[in-house]
Amino acid sequence: MSTHLKPLRALVLAALLAFPVARADALTLADKTALQIAMQKHVDQLTIGDSYLYFDAKQGKVRKLRPATAHPMIMQMGEHFVLCFDFLDSAGKKVEVDYYMARKGRGFVVFHSAVASRNALMALVKSGKVRPAN
């Protein structure tokens, strides 16, 4: 080992010993930040002007929403994650969107968006399949 790496190795070892061992499924601050960034990028990609577009299959039309607030809470479903974002419809009514996300390399991607389907997420939470990430 080169001489200039020895102090770094000692520092890393000291840090590992000083802090309690994290659970294997614990998210790091970097993971949490990457999840929030990936969700925001996804929202930005689907936003044209000030409108977030999605297809409402029940009504058979494209709806426009305005982004309002990203929720800070991150939920975990096995190795996948759920993050939420509030939007406003044309009448100013809140519309909740849940983003189901997966790890991809060092980052994350949205693999499913559930618009105004909070009951489905609540059922997963109630069944214990989804829980707050730590």
Side-chain angles (χ1 to χ4, degrees):
M1 175 180 295
S2 72
T3 318
H4 69 281
L5 290 180
K6 285 182 182 178
L8 179 60
R9 181 176 177 215
L11 182 62
V12 170
L13 183 58
L16 289 174
L17 294 174
F19 295 101
V21 176
R23 289 181 25 199
D25 63 346
L27 286 175
T28 65
L29 180 57
D31 286 336
K32 292 175 183 179
T33 302
L35 277 160
Q36 292 288 347
I37 289 170
M39 178 182 63
Q40 186 62 55
K41 283 183 180 180
H42 181 80
V43 169
D44 290 347
Q45 288 175 339
L46 297 179
T47 301
I48 299 172
D50 66 349
S51 297
Y52 175 87
L53 303 177
Y54 83 96
F55 181 70
D56 184 337
K58 289 180 185 175
Q59 294 185 10
K61 66 180 183 178
V62 175
R63 290 188 60 195
K64 295 180 178 182
L65 301 172
R66 288 189 329 270
T69 307
H71 296 198
M73 179 180 274
I74 298 172
M75 305 293 286
Q76 191 161 358
M77 183 172 64
E79 63 186 49
H80 301 105
F81 304 93
V82 184
L83 283 78
C84 308
F85 206 112
D86 289 338
F87 291 82
L88 300 175
D89 66 12
S90 59
K93 181 181 171 196
K94 182 172 80 168
V95 177
E96 298 166 323
V97 180
D98 302 322
Y99 294 101
Y100 293 76
M101 303 179 70
R103 191 178 295 277
K104 182 177 181 184
R106 292 185 174 176
F108 296 88
V109 295
V110 173
F111 67 85
H112 177 70
S113 301
V115 179
S117 297
R118 183 55 51 86
N119 289 340
L121 177 58
M122 292 297 99
L124 289 169
V125 170
K126 187 175 179 181
S127 72
K129 292 180 181 177
V130 172
R131 61 175 174 72
N134 42 353

